[in-house]
Short mmCIF file of all heavy atoms in Angstrom, two decimals:
data_model
loop_
_atom_site.label_atom_id
_atom_site.label_comp_id
_atom_site.label_asym_id
_atom_site.label_seq_id
_atom_site.Cartn_x
_atom_site.Cartn_y
_atom_site.Cartn_z
N GLU A 1 90.45 86.34 95.59
CA GLU A 1 89.01 86.44 95.36
C GLU A 1 88.64 87.77 94.69
O GLU A 1 87.75 87.83 93.84
CB GLU A 1 88.25 86.31 96.69
CG GLU A 1 86.76 86.07 96.56
CD GLU A 1 86.44 84.68 96.00
OE1 GLU A 1 87.37 83.92 95.68
OE2 GLU A 1 85.24 84.39 95.88
N ALA A 2 89.37 88.83 95.00
CA ALA A 2 89.15 90.12 94.32
C ALA A 2 89.51 90.00 92.86
O ALA A 2 88.82 90.58 92.00
CB ALA A 2 89.98 91.22 95.00
N TRP A 3 90.57 89.30 92.52
CA TRP A 3 90.93 89.09 91.11
C TRP A 3 89.81 88.34 90.37
O TRP A 3 89.50 88.65 89.25
CB TRP A 3 92.23 88.29 91.02
CG TRP A 3 92.69 88.06 89.62
CD1 TRP A 3 93.51 88.86 88.87
CD2 TRP A 3 92.35 86.93 88.79
NE1 TRP A 3 93.70 88.31 87.61
CE2 TRP A 3 92.98 87.15 87.54
CE3 TRP A 3 91.60 85.79 88.97
CZ2 TRP A 3 92.89 86.23 86.50
CZ3 TRP A 3 91.45 84.91 87.91
CH2 TRP A 3 92.11 85.11 86.68
N ARG A 4 89.19 87.39 91.05
CA ARG A 4 88.13 86.60 90.40
C ARG A 4 86.90 87.44 90.06
O ARG A 4 86.32 87.32 88.98
CB ARG A 4 87.73 85.43 91.30
CG ARG A 4 86.66 84.52 90.68
CD ARG A 4 86.22 83.47 91.65
NE ARG A 4 85.46 84.02 92.76
CZ ARG A 4 84.16 84.31 92.73
NH1 ARG A 4 83.47 84.17 91.61
NH2 ARG A 4 83.54 84.81 93.78
N VAL A 5 86.47 88.32 90.97
CA VAL A 5 85.20 89.04 90.79
C VAL A 5 85.37 90.30 89.96
O VAL A 5 84.39 90.87 89.50
CB VAL A 5 84.57 89.39 92.15
CG1 VAL A 5 84.29 88.13 92.96
CG2 VAL A 5 85.44 90.35 92.93
N LEU A 6 86.63 90.76 89.73
CA LEU A 6 86.83 91.94 88.95
C LEU A 6 86.77 91.66 87.45
O LEU A 6 87.08 90.53 87.02
CB LEU A 6 88.18 92.61 89.28
CG LEU A 6 88.26 93.39 90.61
CD1 LEU A 6 89.69 93.79 90.90
CD2 LEU A 6 87.34 94.62 90.55
N ARG A 7 86.43 92.66 86.67
CA ARG A 7 86.35 92.51 85.22
C ARG A 7 87.76 92.25 84.67
O ARG A 7 88.75 92.74 85.20
CB ARG A 7 85.76 93.75 84.57
CG ARG A 7 86.53 95.01 84.87
CD ARG A 7 85.76 96.23 84.47
NE ARG A 7 85.44 96.31 83.06
CZ ARG A 7 84.84 97.33 82.47
NH1 ARG A 7 84.48 98.37 83.20
NH2 ARG A 7 84.60 97.33 81.18
N GLY A 8 87.85 91.46 83.58
CA GLY A 8 89.15 91.04 83.13
C GLY A 8 89.63 91.65 81.86
O GLY A 8 90.38 91.01 81.11
N ASP A 9 89.22 92.89 81.56
CA ASP A 9 89.65 93.53 80.32
C ASP A 9 90.72 94.59 80.58
O ASP A 9 90.89 95.51 79.78
CB ASP A 9 88.45 94.13 79.61
CG ASP A 9 87.65 95.07 80.50
OD1 ASP A 9 88.02 95.21 81.69
OD2 ASP A 9 86.64 95.63 80.03
N GLY A 10 91.40 94.51 81.70
CA GLY A 10 92.43 95.49 82.04
C GLY A 10 91.89 96.74 82.66
O GLY A 10 92.66 97.70 82.83
N LYS A 11 90.59 96.77 83.02
CA LYS A 11 89.99 97.97 83.62
C LYS A 11 89.55 97.75 85.05
O LYS A 11 89.18 98.71 85.71
CB LYS A 11 88.82 98.45 82.76
CG LYS A 11 89.21 98.89 81.37
CD LYS A 11 88.00 99.37 80.58
CE LYS A 11 88.40 99.81 79.21
NZ LYS A 11 87.22 100.28 78.40
N GLY A 12 89.52 96.53 85.51
CA GLY A 12 89.12 96.27 86.88
C GLY A 12 90.16 96.79 87.87
O GLY A 12 91.34 96.48 87.76
N GLU A 13 89.75 97.59 88.84
CA GLU A 13 90.67 98.24 89.79
C GLU A 13 90.49 97.70 91.19
O GLU A 13 89.36 97.38 91.60
CB GLU A 13 90.44 99.74 89.79
CG GLU A 13 90.68 100.43 88.46
CD GLU A 13 90.46 101.91 88.49
OE1 GLU A 13 90.21 102.43 89.60
OE2 GLU A 13 90.52 102.58 87.43
N CYS A 14 91.58 97.60 91.90
CA CYS A 14 91.61 97.16 93.29
C CYS A 14 92.29 98.23 94.14
O CYS A 14 93.48 98.51 93.95
CB CYS A 14 92.35 95.82 93.44
SG CYS A 14 92.35 95.15 95.13
N TRP A 15 91.51 98.84 95.05
CA TRP A 15 92.04 99.89 95.92
C TRP A 15 92.35 99.30 97.29
O TRP A 15 91.53 98.62 97.89
CB TRP A 15 91.02 101.02 96.05
CG TRP A 15 90.64 101.68 94.77
CD1 TRP A 15 91.16 101.41 93.52
CD2 TRP A 15 89.64 102.67 94.60
NE1 TRP A 15 90.55 102.23 92.59
CE2 TRP A 15 89.62 103.01 93.22
CE3 TRP A 15 88.76 103.33 95.46
CZ2 TRP A 15 88.75 103.95 92.70
CZ3 TRP A 15 87.92 104.29 94.93
CH2 TRP A 15 87.89 104.59 93.57
N VAL A 16 93.54 99.60 97.76
CA VAL A 16 94.00 99.06 99.02
C VAL A 16 94.49 100.18 99.94
O VAL A 16 95.23 101.07 99.49
CB VAL A 16 95.14 98.03 98.84
CG1 VAL A 16 95.57 97.42 100.18
CG2 VAL A 16 94.70 96.90 97.89
N SER A 17 94.11 100.12 101.20
CA SER A 17 94.58 101.06 102.21
C SER A 17 94.95 100.26 103.44
O SER A 17 94.13 99.47 103.96
CB SER A 17 93.52 102.11 102.53
OG SER A 17 93.99 103.00 103.54
N GLU A 18 96.19 100.41 103.92
CA GLU A 18 96.66 99.62 105.09
C GLU A 18 97.50 100.50 106.02
O GLU A 18 98.03 101.54 105.60
CB GLU A 18 97.47 98.41 104.63
CG GLU A 18 96.62 97.15 104.47
CD GLU A 18 95.85 96.76 105.72
OE1 GLU A 18 96.30 97.07 106.83
OE2 GLU A 18 94.77 96.19 105.59
N VAL A 19 97.60 100.04 107.25
CA VAL A 19 98.38 100.75 108.27
C VAL A 19 99.86 100.58 107.99
O VAL A 19 100.33 99.46 107.64
CB VAL A 19 98.03 100.22 109.68
CG1 VAL A 19 98.74 101.02 110.74
CG2 VAL A 19 96.53 100.24 109.88
N LYS A 20 100.63 101.63 108.12
CA LYS A 20 102.08 101.58 107.80
C LYS A 20 102.83 100.63 108.72
O LYS A 20 103.81 100.02 108.36
CB LYS A 20 102.68 102.97 107.92
CG LYS A 20 102.34 103.88 106.77
CD LYS A 20 103.04 105.22 106.89
CE LYS A 20 102.75 106.14 105.71
NZ LYS A 20 103.42 107.45 105.82
N SER A 21 102.36 100.53 109.96
CA SER A 21 103.07 99.67 110.92
C SER A 21 103.03 98.19 110.54
O SER A 21 103.80 97.39 111.07
CB SER A 21 102.48 99.85 112.31
OG SER A 21 101.10 99.51 112.34
N ARG A 22 102.14 97.81 109.63
CA ARG A 22 102.05 96.40 109.21
C ARG A 22 103.13 96.06 108.18
O ARG A 22 103.36 94.89 107.90
CB ARG A 22 100.67 96.11 108.63
CG ARG A 22 99.54 96.31 109.60
CD ARG A 22 98.25 95.70 109.07
NE ARG A 22 98.37 94.26 108.97
CZ ARG A 22 97.51 93.49 108.32
NH1 ARG A 22 96.47 94.03 107.71
NH2 ARG A 22 97.68 92.16 108.29
N PHE A 23 103.74 97.08 107.57
CA PHE A 23 104.79 96.86 106.58
C PHE A 23 106.14 96.90 107.26
O PHE A 23 106.30 97.43 108.37
CB PHE A 23 104.73 97.90 105.47
CG PHE A 23 103.45 97.89 104.70
CD1 PHE A 23 102.39 98.72 105.07
CD2 PHE A 23 103.27 97.09 103.60
CE1 PHE A 23 101.21 98.73 104.35
CE2 PHE A 23 102.09 97.07 102.89
CZ PHE A 23 101.07 97.90 103.27
N GLY A 24 107.17 96.40 106.56
CA GLY A 24 108.53 96.46 107.09
C GLY A 24 109.17 97.79 106.76
O GLY A 24 108.62 98.65 106.09
N LYS A 25 110.37 97.97 107.27
CA LYS A 25 111.15 99.16 107.00
C LYS A 25 112.20 98.86 105.93
O LYS A 25 112.72 97.74 105.84
CB LYS A 25 111.84 99.65 108.29
CG LYS A 25 110.87 100.11 109.35
CD LYS A 25 110.17 101.38 108.95
CE LYS A 25 109.27 101.89 110.07
NZ LYS A 25 108.56 103.12 109.69
N VAL A 26 112.57 99.87 105.18
CA VAL A 26 113.60 99.72 104.13
C VAL A 26 114.94 99.57 104.80
O VAL A 26 115.33 100.35 105.68
CB VAL A 26 113.61 100.92 103.19
CG1 VAL A 26 114.74 100.81 102.19
CG2 VAL A 26 112.27 101.06 102.46
N ASN A 27 115.68 98.51 104.40
CA ASN A 27 117.03 98.29 104.95
C ASN A 27 118.04 99.02 104.12
O ASN A 27 118.22 98.77 102.93
CB ASN A 27 117.34 96.76 104.95
CG ASN A 27 116.45 95.98 105.87
OD1 ASN A 27 116.11 96.46 106.93
ND2 ASN A 27 116.06 94.79 105.44
N ARG A 28 118.70 99.97 104.76
CA ARG A 28 119.68 100.78 104.05
C ARG A 28 121.08 100.40 104.54
O ARG A 28 121.48 100.71 105.64
CB ARG A 28 119.44 102.27 104.26
CG ARG A 28 118.08 102.70 103.74
CD ARG A 28 117.95 104.20 103.67
NE ARG A 28 116.68 104.62 103.11
CZ ARG A 28 116.40 104.66 101.82
NH1 ARG A 28 117.33 104.33 100.95
NH2 ARG A 28 115.21 105.04 101.38
N LYS A 29 121.82 99.66 103.71
CA LYS A 29 123.15 99.17 104.08
C LYS A 29 124.16 99.68 103.05
O LYS A 29 123.89 99.74 101.86
CB LYS A 29 123.20 97.66 104.12
CG LYS A 29 122.25 97.03 105.17
CD LYS A 29 122.36 95.53 105.14
CE LYS A 29 121.44 94.93 106.16
NZ LYS A 29 121.49 93.44 106.15
N LYS A 30 125.31 100.05 103.54
CA LYS A 30 126.37 100.51 102.65
C LYS A 30 127.02 99.30 101.95
O LYS A 30 127.33 98.32 102.58
CB LYS A 30 127.42 101.27 103.45
CG LYS A 30 128.35 102.11 102.59
CD LYS A 30 129.20 103.00 103.45
CE LYS A 30 130.08 103.89 102.60
NZ LYS A 30 130.93 104.79 103.39
N ALA A 31 127.14 99.39 100.64
CA ALA A 31 127.68 98.28 99.89
C ALA A 31 129.19 98.18 100.10
O ALA A 31 129.86 99.10 100.49
CB ALA A 31 127.39 98.46 98.40
N GLN A 32 129.68 96.96 99.81
CA GLN A 32 131.12 96.74 99.94
C GLN A 32 131.84 97.51 98.81
O GLN A 32 131.33 97.66 97.72
CB GLN A 32 131.41 95.27 99.82
CG GLN A 32 130.83 94.43 100.95
CD GLN A 32 131.14 92.98 100.78
OE1 GLN A 32 131.74 92.58 99.78
NE2 GLN A 32 130.76 92.16 101.74
N ILE A 33 133.06 97.97 99.15
CA ILE A 33 133.82 98.70 98.16
C ILE A 33 134.20 97.76 97.01
O ILE A 33 134.71 96.66 97.24
CB ILE A 33 135.09 99.30 98.78
CG1 ILE A 33 134.72 100.25 99.92
CG2 ILE A 33 135.91 100.04 97.74
CD1 ILE A 33 133.87 101.43 99.48
N GLY A 34 133.93 98.16 95.79
CA GLY A 34 134.27 97.32 94.64
C GLY A 34 133.12 96.47 94.18
O GLY A 34 133.21 95.80 93.16
N ALA A 35 132.00 96.42 94.98
CA ALA A 35 130.85 95.60 94.58
C ALA A 35 130.17 96.23 93.39
O ALA A 35 129.97 97.45 93.32
CB ALA A 35 129.89 95.44 95.75
N LYS A 36 129.78 95.43 92.44
CA LYS A 36 129.11 95.90 91.25
C LYS A 36 127.61 95.86 91.44
O LYS A 36 127.08 94.99 92.10
CB LYS A 36 129.48 95.04 90.04
CG LYS A 36 130.94 95.20 89.60
CD LYS A 36 131.20 94.44 88.33
CE LYS A 36 132.63 94.62 87.85
NZ LYS A 36 132.89 93.90 86.60
N ARG A 37 126.97 96.83 90.88
CA ARG A 37 125.49 96.87 90.95
C ARG A 37 125.00 97.55 89.68
O ARG A 37 125.76 98.19 88.93
CB ARG A 37 125.00 97.62 92.16
CG ARG A 37 125.38 99.10 92.17
CD ARG A 37 124.82 99.79 93.40
NE ARG A 37 125.22 101.19 93.50
CZ ARG A 37 124.62 102.17 92.86
NH1 ARG A 37 123.59 101.93 92.06
NH2 ARG A 37 125.04 103.42 93.00
N THR A 38 123.72 97.42 89.44
CA THR A 38 123.14 98.05 88.23
C THR A 38 122.93 99.53 88.50
O THR A 38 122.34 99.91 89.53
CB THR A 38 121.80 97.37 87.93
OG1 THR A 38 122.00 95.98 87.77
CG2 THR A 38 121.20 97.95 86.65
N LEU A 39 123.43 100.34 87.61
CA LEU A 39 123.29 101.78 87.78
C LEU A 39 121.99 102.28 87.21
O LEU A 39 121.45 101.71 86.26
CB LEU A 39 124.47 102.51 87.07
CG LEU A 39 125.88 102.14 87.57
CD1 LEU A 39 126.91 102.90 86.76
CD2 LEU A 39 126.04 102.42 89.03
N THR A 40 121.50 103.33 87.84
CA THR A 40 120.29 103.94 87.33
C THR A 40 120.59 104.80 86.13
O THR A 40 121.77 105.09 85.84
CB THR A 40 119.62 104.79 88.43
OG1 THR A 40 120.50 105.84 88.78
CG2 THR A 40 119.28 103.95 89.65
N LYS A 41 119.55 105.26 85.42
CA LYS A 41 119.77 106.11 84.26
C LYS A 41 120.41 107.43 84.63
O LYS A 41 121.26 107.95 83.92
CB LYS A 41 118.40 106.37 83.57
CG LYS A 41 117.81 105.13 82.92
CD LYS A 41 116.50 105.46 82.21
CE LYS A 41 115.89 104.24 81.57
NZ LYS A 41 114.59 104.56 80.89
N ALA A 42 120.03 107.94 85.79
CA ALA A 42 120.60 109.24 86.22
C ALA A 42 122.09 109.08 86.54
O ALA A 42 122.91 109.96 86.21
CB ALA A 42 119.84 109.74 87.46
N GLU A 43 122.42 107.93 87.16
CA GLU A 43 123.84 107.69 87.48
C GLU A 43 124.65 107.49 86.21
O GLU A 43 125.80 107.96 86.08
CB GLU A 43 123.95 106.49 88.42
CG GLU A 43 123.41 106.77 89.82
CD GLU A 43 123.41 105.51 90.68
OE1 GLU A 43 123.48 104.40 90.11
OE2 GLU A 43 123.35 105.64 91.89
N LYS A 44 124.06 106.76 85.24
CA LYS A 44 124.78 106.55 83.98
C LYS A 44 125.00 107.86 83.24
O LYS A 44 126.05 108.09 82.68
CB LYS A 44 123.98 105.59 83.12
CG LYS A 44 123.95 104.12 83.63
CD LYS A 44 123.14 103.25 82.70
CE LYS A 44 123.12 101.83 83.20
NZ LYS A 44 122.32 100.92 82.30
N LYS A 45 123.97 108.70 83.28
CA LYS A 45 124.12 110.02 82.63
C LYS A 45 125.16 110.85 83.29
O LYS A 45 125.97 111.55 82.64
CB LYS A 45 122.76 110.72 82.67
CG LYS A 45 122.71 112.00 81.84
CD LYS A 45 121.31 112.58 81.84
CE LYS A 45 121.25 113.84 81.00
NZ LYS A 45 119.88 114.43 80.99
N LYS A 46 125.25 110.77 84.63
CA LYS A 46 126.23 111.52 85.39
C LYS A 46 127.62 111.01 85.09
O LYS A 46 128.59 111.80 84.92
CB LYS A 46 125.91 111.40 86.87
CG LYS A 46 126.84 112.21 87.77
CD LYS A 46 126.43 112.04 89.22
CE LYS A 46 127.33 112.81 90.13
NZ LYS A 46 126.95 112.68 91.57
#
């Protein structure tokens, strides 16, 4: 509904504020040895 009532020329803004406890936590898991993944620009430069 916010998308509908906002102006549609790329200037309509939607501000959101929410409690952190409503979001999940980042899962940090160690990857398997030998698994391929996309490297970041910093890692590629390194």
Side-chain angles (χ1 to χ4, degrees):
E1 194 70 358
W3 181 89
R4 182 185 69 82
V5 300
L6 283 172
R7 60 193 298 183
D9 53 359
K11 295 181 181 180
E13 299 181 6
C14 182
W15 300 356
V16 182
S17 179
E18 268 304 330
V19 185
K20 286 184 178 180
S21 60
R22 299 192 65 191
F23 299 93
K25 295 292 183 181
V26 176
N27 295 322
R28 299 193 177 279
K29 298 179 180 179
K30 196 170 183 180
Q32 296 179 357
I33 301 299
K36 292 185 178 181
R37 64 177 177 84
T38 304
L39 300 179
T40 63
K41 292 182 180 180
E43 291 174 340
K44 290 180 180 180
K45 188 175 181 180
K46 183 179 179 180

